[in-house]
Amino acid sequence: MVVERDIDDLPKNEANYTALTPLWFLDRAAMVYPNRKSLVHGSIEYTWLQTYRRCRQLASALTKRSVTFGSTVAVIAPNVPAMYEAHFGIPMAGAVLNAVNVRLNADTIAFLLGHCSAAVVMVDQEFFPSAEEALKVLENKSKGKSNRPLLIVIADKNCDPAPVQYALEKGAIEYEQFLETGDPEFPWNPPQDEWQSIALGYTSGTTASPKGVVLHHRGAYLMAMSNAVVWSMKEGAVYLWTLPMFHCNGWCFTWTLAAICGTNICLRQVTAKAVYSAITHLGVTHFSAAPVVLNTIVNAPKEETILPLPRLVHVSTAGASPPPSVLAAMTQRGFRVLHTYGLSETYGPSTICTWKPEWDLLPTDVQARLNARQGVRYVSLEKLDVINPKDMTPVPADGKTMGEIVFKGNVVMKGYLKNPKANEAAFAGGWYHSGDLAVKHPDGYIEIKDRSKDIIISGGENISSVEVENILYQHPAILEVSVVARPDEQWGESPCAFVTLKPNVKETDQQQLAKDIMNFSRSKMPRYWVPKSVVFGPLPKTATGKIQKHLLRAKAKEMGPVGKSRL
């Protein structure tokens, strides 16, 4: 074995080596731009100095309650100032932030709180009933043996104060009062080891109990910096929070905004009208959103839009493959869309469809098709590939051969909390396995074709539900569509399309409209791809706008098998 030797034997010391953490970004922002707006939420405004002091108060108040290294603090809140402050104040105390999806039911929240042994639960006033019920469930399951977490209610001046009063009567502490118990000059300590956990986030758990994704300070630092680099975000950018901060810690943009000394514009509820208003009146330059939000923006009624845009607005999208038609429509309205892809296990987006100057001369539809690909690795990700999961060999870069997307590098999670079996499967062969199926194009860009569980196998042929959906989005009546497998007497499975129609489309004859969609499909795709059934109605979604295909698959299964006759 060859022993690698450096040119010297100089050791690390306190002057030249420190653990990476995004917490220092806030310290710097407060020093460089103490009076610049850090955050705007309705009538509430803070500067970077104020935000820094408030985060130190939170850290101090938690520490006084013995909430520090080894503790977890759960936060159940939408995009409000306290949620942003939690991303700094909690790890400044040495504790771990668990940002909880606000749409989860009480039973699931109870599982999360018990699994991570939450010492504190910070909850927005709107979601206090869910937290209260979850704590009751947790107490009943533990038969009174679990320690009840400290309960803090976050009041919002823009909302009815009645829920806050109710929470106080139930023994909760109001967030601002809790901050007052802390020291705004608290001498917080950075982590001694950058491998120390900074955040914990739970997967959706559609088929089993949610898995706790553990992230470290090093990865959070690198992803936060990488976001700014790959998006060319300038210092002082104004970022609109349409993406929930509880989703992968806001794709780490919570920490990126402090690094670039930008301004956070919080949106409690995301609507097209609110987005256009913030762009026009608050100087928004950037925002991130799932494709379903982009679809809402481009299909918003005229009275809810403000066009033309006062400036070029940069948008990053991820969470599902954006239909090329939606990307083209966003471009036509003056948005520049950056397509990224990633998972909770990779700190949010970790690949980017890097735009190439030569694409500027291509037709709009071709540009949109190229931009719909998942692209290449972030600068902070060391390795990305598409492999044959059976033998771990890379698939050829032919744009046809499907394989599984795998990751390797510093922006891959530490692992799943208390779940060695899941970790063994996730890290098999020295890679993180995504479960997403993709092809690799000759230019090295990857393109997702489906989740492994979403591939439709009809008569032995694989059908990509994503490709069928992209074509159906071109139909003039379709606002949203999701395609899943439905049992088929003849072919085993066949595509079933769940469709939401545009507001101006009348559902006078659904059977005729279904036939029209099928005829449209036959003119655009192979015959065996054509949906044999079309179901109209709203699509079930997660809090981050992802369509819940597992619910649609269950519904398609309940509908029973399609007969042998073709429509």
Side-chain angles (χ1 to χ4, degrees), residues 65 120-125 127-129 131-132 135 148-155 163-178:
R65 298 276 186 150
V120 179
V121 176
M122 290 169 47
V123 56
D124 177 84
Q125 62 175 71
F127 304 99
F128 185 83
E132 184 183 30
L135 289 173
R148 185 176 177 84
L150 174 66
L151 193 56
I152 300 171
V153 62
I154 302 165
V164 179
Q165 186 58 42
Y166 172 81
L168 296 178
E169 291 171 359
K170 292 294 182 176
I173 303 172
E174 198 275 319
Y175 179 70
E176 293 297 329
Q177 292 179 349
F178 183 70

Side-chain angles (χ1 to χ4, degrees), residues 160-447:
D160 181 3
V164 179
Q165 186 58 42
Y166 172 81
L168 296 178
E169 291 171 359
K170 292 294 182 176
I173 303 172
E174 198 275 319
Y175 179 70
E176 293 297 329
Q177 292 179 349
F178 183 70
L179 284 191
E180 288 175 7
T181 67
D183 178 6
E185 300 293 332
F186 176 65
W188 62 277
N189 292 313
Q192 294 297 306
D193 185 349
E194 59 195 23
W195 186 251
Q196 183 178 323
S197 303
I198 188 172
L200 169 68
Y202 282 84
T203 60
S204 57
T206 56
T207 57
S209 294
K211 296 191 290 288
V213 177
V214 184
L215 307 180
H216 51 62
H217 282 254
R218 177 182 177 83
Y221 174 97
L222 292 170
M223 181 57 77
M225 295 288 279
S226 199
N227 281 335
V229 170
V230 301
W231 209 2
S232 300
M233 292 184 80
K234 294 181 179 179
E235 184 179 74
V238 180
Y239 186 86
L240 178 65
W241 279 103
T242 52
L243 170 73
M245 291 186 208
F246 62 69
H247 184 50
C248 304
N249 304 105
W251 299 351
C252 292
F253 279 103
T254 45
W255 298 303
T256 299
L257 265 292
I260 63 170
C261 306
T263 300
N264 297 273
I265 309 295
C266 290
L267 269 189
R268 187 178 184 89
Q269 293 181 321
V270 179
T271 63
K273 184 177 181 179
V275 171
Y276 280 110
S277 177
I279 291 170
T280 303
H281 303 298
L282 297 175
V284 169
T285 59
H286 295 72
F287 69 88
S288 305
V292 65
V293 176
L294 307 190
N295 200 23
T296 300
I297 290 170
V298 299
N299 287 290
K302 190 173 182 180
E303 62 271 17
E304 294 184 5
T305 65
I306 305 176
L307 292 171
L309 299 178
R311 72 194 68 79
L312 179 67
V313 177
H314 300 268
V315 183
S316 69
T317 188
S321 299
S325 57
V326 173
L327 291 176
M330 287 290 288
T331 300
Q332 291 166 1
R333 284 161 178 75
F335 297 94
R336 179 169 292 173
V337 182
L338 177 81
H339 181 203
T340 63
Y341 155 75
L343 306 97
S344 300
E345 291 86 344
T346 62
Y347 293 73
S350 47
T351 80
I352 172 177
C353 190
T354 299
W355 188 266
K356 295 186 176 181
E358 55 266 34
W359 296 355
D360 292 339
L361 302 176
L362 298 173
T364 303
D365 60 330
V366 177
Q367 289 181 347
R369 194 163 63 248
L370 289 170
N371 201 22
R373 300 182 300 173
Q374 281 60 44
V376 295
R377 59 189 171 88
Y378 257 43
V379 294
S380 57
L381 179 68
E382 281 68 39
K383 290 188 178 181
L384 169 75
D385 212 340
V386 179
I387 57 126
N388 181 332
K390 293 181 180 179
D391 59 12
M392 297 294 292
T393 58
V395 301
D398 57 9
K400 298 177 182 178
T401 307
M402 274 201 293
E404 183 184 21
I405 301 175
V406 290
F407 301 82
K408 184 181 293 190
N410 288 293
V411 290
V412 172
M413 66 170 178
K414 292 176 72 172
Y416 297 116
L417 184 67
K418 305 173 186 175
N419 202 333
K421 186 176 180 181
N423 288 331
E424 184 179 355
F427 296 134
W431 291 84
Y432 167 67
H433 293 256
S434 70
D436 286 324
L437 300 180
V439 297
K440 187 162 53 177
H441 289 277
D443 60 1
Y445 282 52
I446 66 170
E447 181 180 4

Side-chain angles (χ1 to χ4, degrees), residues 493-555:
E493 293 179 344
S494 61
C496 175
F498 288 86
V499 171
T500 299
L501 298 172
K502 291 181 178 178
N504 60 342
V505 177
K506 295 180 180 179
E507 299 182 43
T508 51
D509 187 347
Q510 288 192 356
Q511 188 174 5
Q512 183 57 46
L513 188 54
K515 286 183 178 179
D516 180 67
I517 290 172
M518 291 178 194
N519 288 333
F520 173 85
S521 301
R522 289 189 187 98
S523 68
K524 300 283 187 179
M525 64 180 75
R527 191 171 183 85
Y528 69 96
W529 287 19
V530 175
K532 292 179 70 175
S533 47
V534 179
V535 181
F536 297 100
L539 304 180
K541 298 183 185 113
T542 67
T544 56
K546 289 183 182 179
I547 294 169
Q548 295 177 300
K549 280 198 170 184
H550 67 284
L551 297 180
L552 297 179
R553 282 196 297 271
K555 187 173 181 179

Side-chain angles (χ1 to χ4, degrees), residues 1-238:
M1 180 178 178
V2 178
V3 178
E4 293 183 350
R5 293 184 61 86
D6 206 340
I7 63 168
D8 62 82
D9 57 359
L10 296 169
K12 298 174 185 174
N13 61 57
E14 289 185 20
N16 63 23
Y17 181 84
T18 186
L20 298 180
T21 175
L23 301 181
W24 286 117
F25 299 154
L26 181 55
D27 175 270
R28 179 181 180 275
M31 187 273 290
V32 180
Y33 292 107
N35 299 317
R36 177 181 285 178
K37 288 180 184 178
S38 59
L39 187 146
V40 177
H41 176 55
S43 60
I44 300 169
E45 293 184 358
Y46 294 120
T47 65
W48 278 114
L49 179 58
Q50 289 173 320
T51 292
Y52 186 35
R53 289 172 63 85
R54 288 172 61 82
C55 291
R56 292 169 78 177
Q57 277 186 288
L58 175 56
S60 174
L62 289 170
T63 303
K64 286 181 179 180
R65 298 276 186 150
S66 299
V67 178
T68 181
F69 186 84
S71 303
T72 301
V73 177
V75 184
I76 309 170
N79 293 340
V80 292
M83 176 60 102
Y84 187 78
E85 291 161 1
H87 279 78
F88 293 91
I90 292 170
M92 279 177 169
V96 176
L97 164 66
N98 173 25
V100 178
N101 186 330
V102 298
R103 290 189 181 178
L104 295 177
N105 60 34
D107 285 341
T108 306
I109 294 175
F111 170 83
L112 268 56
L113 299 181
H115 188 261
C116 73
S117 303
V120 179
V121 176
M122 290 169 47
V123 56
D124 177 84
Q125 62 175 71
E126 180 182 350
F127 304 99
F128 185 83
S130 296
E132 184 183 30
E133 187 180 348
L135 289 173
K136 287 180 182 177
V137 171
L138 183 60
E139 190 171 352
N140 290 336
K141 286 186 176 180
S142 68
K143 298 180 180 179
K145 293 180 181 179
S146 64
N147 293 324
R148 185 176 177 84
L150 174 66
L151 193 56
I152 300 171
V153 62
I154 302 165
D156 191 330
K157 293 180 180 178
N158 303 303
C159 301
D160 181 3
V164 179
Q165 186 58 42
Y166 172 81
L168 296 178
E169 291 171 359
K170 292 294 182 176
I173 303 172
E174 198 275 319
Y175 179 70
E176 293 297 329
Q177 292 179 349
F178 183 70
L179 284 191
E180 288 175 7
T181 67
D183 178 6
E185 300 293 332
F186 176 65
W188 62 277
N189 292 313
Q192 294 297 306
D193 185 349
E194 59 195 23
W195 186 251
Q196 183 178 323
S197 303
I198 188 172
L200 169 68
Y202 282 84
T203 60
S204 57
T206 56
T207 57
S209 294
K211 296 191 290 288
V213 177
V214 184
L215 307 180
H216 51 62
H217 282 254
R218 177 182 177 83
Y221 174 97
L222 292 170
M223 181 57 77
M225 295 288 279
S226 199
N227 281 335
V229 170
V230 301
W231 209 2
S232 300
M233 292 184 80
K234 294 181 179 179
E235 184 179 74
V238 180

Side-chain angles (χ1 to χ4, degrees), residues 291 319-327 339 341 368-369 371-374 402 405 435-439 441 446-457 462-474 478 480-485 495-498 521 524-526 529 531 547 549 553:
S321 299
S325 57
V326 173
L327 291 176
H339 181 203
Y341 155 75
R369 194 163 63 248
N371 201 22
R373 300 182 300 173
Q374 281 60 44
M402 274 201 293
I405 301 175
D436 286 324
L437 300 180
V439 297
H441 289 277
I446 66 170
E447 181 180 4
I448 287 181
K449 293 301 181 181
D450 233 328
R451 290 286 296 175
S452 56
K453 60 190 175 187
D454 292 334
I455 284 286
I456 302 165
I457 304 174
N462 288 352
I463 302 173
S464 164
S465 63
V466 172
E467 291 197 51
V468 178
E469 289 161 3
N470 285 343
I471 294 172
L472 289 177
Y473 265 109
Q474 298 173 27
I478 292 177
E480 293 179 325
V481 61
S482 183
V483 175
V484 300
C496 175
F498 288 86
S521 301
K524 300 283 187 179
M525 64 180 75
W529 287 19
I547 294 169
K549 280 198 170 184
R553 282 196 297 271

